[in-house]
Structures are given as C-alpha cells and as structure tokens.
Amino acid sequence: MGKGGEQGEESGEREAQLPSYSWEEIQKHSLRADKWLVVERKVYNISRWVKRHPGGQRVISHYAGEDATDAFRAFHPDLNFVQKFLKPLLIGELASGEPSHDRDKNPQLVEDFRALRKTAEDMNLFKASPVFFSLYLGHILLMEALGWLMVFYCGANWITTLLLSIILAVSQAQAGWLQHDFGHLSVFKKSVWNHLVHKFVIGHLKGASANWWNHRHFQHHAKPNIFKKDPDVNMLHLFVLGETQPVEYGRKKLKYFPYNHQHRYFFFVFPPLLIPVYFQMQIFMTMVRHKFWADLAWAFSYYLRYFLTYIPFYGVLGSLCLLTFVRFMESHWFVWVTQMNHIPMEIDSEKHRDWLSAQLAATCNIEQSFFNDWFSGHLNFQIEHHLFPTMPRHNYHKIAPLVKSLCTKYGVAYEEKPLIRAFADIVGSLKKSGALWLDAYLHK
C-alpha cells in the first residue's frame, strides 16, 4: 500500500479510537478555565484556545458545555477554513446513545431549521449583490461630499450648519448599518476582504474600532437578551429589563435609580448619550487597553480627515461642537432602531434553547417598506438577521416567508409590528419593568 493510503488508514484509525462522552460529562466542562463544546457531535476542548479566537474569547465561551453546531454555522461563512482550527482541539465525540442536541431540545425542530438553512444556501441567499453594496457605499460618500460642498459654496452660516449636521448624521447612521454588513462577513466571499473593508468603514468613515464592535456584537448574536452573556442588556444598573431582573432588584432592595420612572428618564440618558459619551469612552479605552493599534490608526484617520475638512470653516472649537451635535443626533437614531427589536422581547437568564427558539424569543420584526428598510439598515428584518447573520441583508425578505412557515409549524411566536408601535413598545416595556421593580421593592 502507498504512503497516502497508509496515512488515510492511520487517520481513520485515530477517528475510530476517539473517546466517547455523555452530555452529563460535557456539561461539567463549562468553567472559567475548563471549556468543552460540541459541533456536529464532535467534542472539542477549547480551554486554552479561547484567547486566540478571532471573534473574541467570550462569544465562544458562552457555548461551553453545549451543542454549538448552529452557532458555528451561523457565524462562519467558510466552514472548511475554520475546520482547520478545530482539528487540533478535537478530543472525542458524543457517545452513540447520546442525542445530538443537549438539554431536551426538540430534535425535529433543530433538523428542520438546518434544512431551512440548506434551502437558503441552495437559493443562493448567502450571495451578496455587488451593485447593492456599491450603491450603498456610494450614497454615503455622496452625502459626505455634499456636506463639504455646501459649506464651501454657501459659507458656515446657521442654516448651512444645521443642514450640514443633518446630512452628516444621516451619513454616520447609514455608515453604521454598512459596517454592520462587513462586520458580519456578509458581503465578500473571502473573510479577509470583509475584515479589511469593515475597518475602513467603521474606522475611517466613523472613527470607531472593528475589534471592539466584533467582540461586543457577536456576543449579542450568540446569546441575545441573556443576562451576563449579552452585553447589550448590561445596563450598568441604570435600567432594569424584562420581568425577572426587576423583581430580583426589588426583593434585594436595590435602588440605584428610581426604576419606576425609568421610562421617563430613558429619553434623557439613553438616546442622547449612548454614542457621544458611553460608546466613545468605551471604544478608545478598549483600543488602548487591548492594544488594537491598527484600529486606533483607522480611527485617527477619521478624525484627521474630519478636522482638516471643517476647521477651516468652524475652527477647532466649532468643529468639536459640530461633531458632538452630529453624534448626538446619530445616537437617537441608533438607539431607537436597535432597541425596538429587543427591549420589548424576553430578557432573562440562560435557558439553553435551540438556535431558532432562542433568537425568536429575543427578537421581533418591523413591517417592511422602502423607508423602513433604509432607515433601519434592514434591521426591520431582525429575526432573519439573527437566524442567518452572514446573509446579505437584501435577501432577508426572500427567506422571511419560509422562516414564518417554520415558526408556525412548531408554535414559535414570530412577531412583526409597525415602526411607530415598535418605538412605543420600548417605553412601554421599560414602564412595565419599572412597575414590577416597585411592587417587589415595596411588598416582597
């Protein structure tokens, strides 16, 4: 027998000799320094490798002791490429008598969802349209150029400055949705190109950090609306969310803020301050602390370009004030769009649901229209985006009917609402949570 045949025989022998593990044993390995997970019935020890994970160590750690098959497929468009990182971590496989899914998940639902993903692949719904994304980037660059030309020809008067602020705020918001596409690897086939253009859009066009966004946002997608795992529901004691956290705070007599009024002070502290204050501080602290020097250079190129463009018209102080006002307006836009899909939904501790059920419990859709698509960066299709994060957004409407059908089959709630009602539901949800806190604080 030839050398290649001998190597194949040895590989097969090693495969046959893999140890077998039960779910009970695997679930013991979900500790800080001891992490196992399962992908397609193979057991991997990721304890030492988590710090090298390109998406950040927290997002992969959230699946320690669990079946991570659907999350693995959702986040990685090139499965063959990432398999080479998994091979050295392989330590065994599920015992023959063990189900493929942990914690009594509905196996038929899981398999039907995987069949749906295969259908989406066969329909080429993971193939991006170069024309769509080129035009989208073009309309952002056009707004940037229009703003400068307007000030150059009309002067820096109050009316021009107000119009410029609006144009720049729209440009920044739309660039935010575009960087989201590249960050999710949904534009180019090769991940390296997605990463490069992502750094350009979020760094040079917005002055933020790609690594900061990746490490934060991927956790949100992996475990949406799960306390201690989704950073988007970590409100630093400023708000209480959902139905369980308010009662817990109330019973413990925790009163960092008057939570029964949180639906009122929300307007003053969340929409106006998230981007210009909290995100800006967190972004620069993260880049320096973790030595993301490339991201820092990209961010510096944004500020250099901005100040070279507008200091001749407004001076240093005027340019700073203009930038702050633009961030202020963008922050309102960002908060209302990103929170309308999540805050009114279930927010709770880990329940170890299957991928479909977990995403649907935490997300809802907004009715489709040309304006809603543009205004939200297609995040009005939040359900489809969470189920298939690497799918180009212009294809969400094509897969949505099939997702609805699958949800109907298994009795999984698929919620869709008008835009204005979605905004109102944010406030209503905060009011409800605040009332639960007050009742527990006074009576339990």
Side-chain angles (χ1 to χ4, degrees), residues 103-115:
R103 295 179 173 87
D104 299 321
K105 294 171 183 173
N106 185 336
Q108 192 56 54
L109 186 157
V110 174
E111 292 307 316
D112 281 358
F113 172 73
R114 292 176 182 175

Side-chain angles (χ1 to χ4, degrees), residues 33 36 105 146 234 237 267 301-302 315 322-323 347 388 394 411 441:
W36 294 4
K105 294 171 183 173
L146 178 62
N234 176 14
H237 304 302
F267 292 93
S301 75
Y302 164 80
L322 174 64
L323 179 59
I347 305 175
F388 310 105
H394 52 72
Y441 187 83

Side-chain angles (χ1 to χ4, degrees), residues 51-64:
K51 293 182 179 180
R52 297 166 51 201
H53 182 235
Q57 63 175 324
R58 291 184 180 180
V59 63
I60 192 171
S61 297
H62 292 335
Y63 276 91

Side-chain angles (χ1 to χ4, degrees), residues 5-192:
E6 292 174 358
Q7 289 177 342
E9 186 177 322
E10 290 174 4
S11 176
E13 188 177 341
R14 286 196 302 269
E15 188 83 359
Q17 293 175 350
L18 283 175
S20 298
Y21 298 101
S22 66
W23 277 114
E24 182 180 6
E25 173 64 24
I26 293 167
Q27 288 164 11
K28 294 176 182 177
H29 299 271
S30 58
L31 306 175
R32 185 179 182 87
D34 180 19
K35 297 179 174 70
W36 294 4
L37 54 72
V38 175
V39 175
E40 296 177 346
R41 294 191 65 86
K42 302 296 184 184
V43 183
Y44 299 92
N45 185 344
I46 61 169
S47 305
R48 296 183 178 179
W49 191 78
V50 288
K51 293 182 179 180
R52 297 166 51 201
H53 182 235
Q57 63 175 324
R58 291 184 180 180
V59 63
I60 192 171
S61 297
H62 292 335
Y63 276 91
E66 298 183 33
D67 175 30
T69 302
D70 291 308
F72 178 77
R73 291 174 176 173
F75 289 123
H76 303 107
D78 189 347
L79 296 180
N80 292 328
F81 175 76
V82 294
Q83 280 288 352
K84 69 179 184 179
F85 296 100
L86 283 178
K87 285 181 180 179
L89 310 177
L90 180 64
I91 60 169
E93 58 187 3
L94 285 173
S96 59
E98 291 289 322
S100 297
H101 319 295
D102 59 299
R103 295 179 173 87
D104 299 321
K105 294 171 183 173
N106 185 336
Q108 192 56 54
L109 186 157
V110 174
E111 292 307 316
D112 281 358
F113 172 73
R114 292 176 182 175
L116 174 60
R117 182 179 181 86
K118 181 64 169 61
T119 299
E121 292 170 354
D122 293 341
M123 293 171 64
N124 286 324
L125 297 186
F126 289 92
K127 184 178 181 180
S129 165
V131 174
F132 175 87
F133 287 107
S134 296
L135 290 175
Y136 206 92
L137 176 60
H139 103 290
I140 294 168
L141 298 177
L142 183 63
M143 283 187 282
E144 294 277 341
L146 178 62
W148 179 81
L149 287 170
M150 187 172 61
V151 178
F152 182 80
Y153 284 106
C154 300
N157 56 64
W158 282 105
I159 295 177
T160 303
T161 302
L162 179 60
L163 290 174
L164 173 64
S165 301
I166 294 172
I167 290 172
L168 291 180
V170 173
S171 173
Q172 284 295 292
Q174 292 300 321
W177 307 144
L178 184 61
Q179 68 82 23
H180 181 260
D181 298 310
F182 290 103
H184 275 296
L185 312 179
S186 64
V187 182
F188 295 105
K189 282 186 177 181
K190 289 186 176 294
S191 296
V192 64

Side-chain angles (χ1 to χ4, degrees), residues 56 330 355 364 410:
E330 180 200 359
W355 182 257
C364 66
Y410 288 98

